[in-house]
Amino acid sequence: MPDEASRDESVAGVVIDTDVYSALYTDPERASRRGMAVEQWREVLQGTQVLISFQTRAEVMAGMQIGNWGESRKVAAMAKLDSAPTIPADIDVIRSYADLTAACRLIGHALQAKIHSADRWVAASALAKGLPLLSGDRVYRDTPGLRLLG
């Protein structure tokens, strides 16, 4: 079972999942209208270094193309992405992904499913760097070794 960390001043950084990133930085008004915990996430993250996985960066960039965003909106979104420290797919992240995939499969955790491969990369990024993860996605609950923030 993950260590459900509360707001903790000793947390040096927090990895945020793509849903949180999109809600906070892409369209917070829309996210709030859809019932996402935008204000609570802002509170949790206040004063904390926010990091994203390379996977989140890729998903946001793909979303810009799929959504056929205008040039000024793309430029603003890329500036925001570029200001977010991004965890690369280094050897530690790759090892964490392999370990996490195997562990989830062995215990029958939902994160093992092919549809959640992007979520596994985000979780593996947090695990590899020893950081907690903030997400609105329930698939991360009970992920072996993963600390959830929120």
Side-chain angles (χ1 to χ4, degrees):
M1 185 162 201
D3 173 18
E4 298 272 339
S6 59
R7 176 90 167 82
D8 182 353
E9 295 304 323
S10 67
V11 175
V14 176
V15 176
I16 61 172
D17 191 22
T18 308
D19 63 343
V20 175
Y21 182 91
S22 295
L24 294 178
Y25 305 116
T26 302
D27 196 344
E29 289 178 21
R30 181 174 178 240
S32 290
R33 285 193 309 269
R34 293 177 60 207
M36 297 181 91
V38 173
E39 290 309 314
Q40 292 90 338
W41 291 338
R42 283 185 179 143
E43 258 181 56
V44 167
L45 295 172
Q46 189 174 359
T48 303
Q49 175 67 58
V50 173
L51 296 94
I52 61 172
S53 169
F54 71 93
Q55 177 65 41
T56 293
R57 178 178 281 269
E59 288 182 82
V60 171
M61 291 172 69
M64 287 189 268
Q65 292 179 40
I66 293 165
N68 198 26
W69 290 11
E71 194 58 32
S72 62
R73 187 174 179 201
K74 278 194 239 179
V75 168
M78 284 306 300
K80 191 63 182 171
L81 273 175
D82 289 344
S83 72
T86 301
I87 299 168
D90 62 21
I91 193 65
D92 293 330
V93 171
I94 293 166
R95 282 188 188 118
S96 288
Y97 182 87
D99 293 345
L100 181 59
T101 300
C104 287
R105 180 150 186 194
L106 289 171
I107 65 171
H109 191 284
L111 200 57
Q112 73 167 320
K114 190 173 187 174
I115 194 170
H116 294 298
S117 62
D119 298 317
R120 277 196 313 278
W121 280 116
V122 172
S125 296
L127 286 165
K129 303 310 174 187
L131 297 171
L133 175 67
L134 178 63
S135 176
D137 192 338
R138 293 179 182 196
V139 75
Y140 293 111
R141 287 187 183 169
D142 300 323
T143 297
L146 184 64
R147 290 183 298 143
L148 294 177
L149 193 67

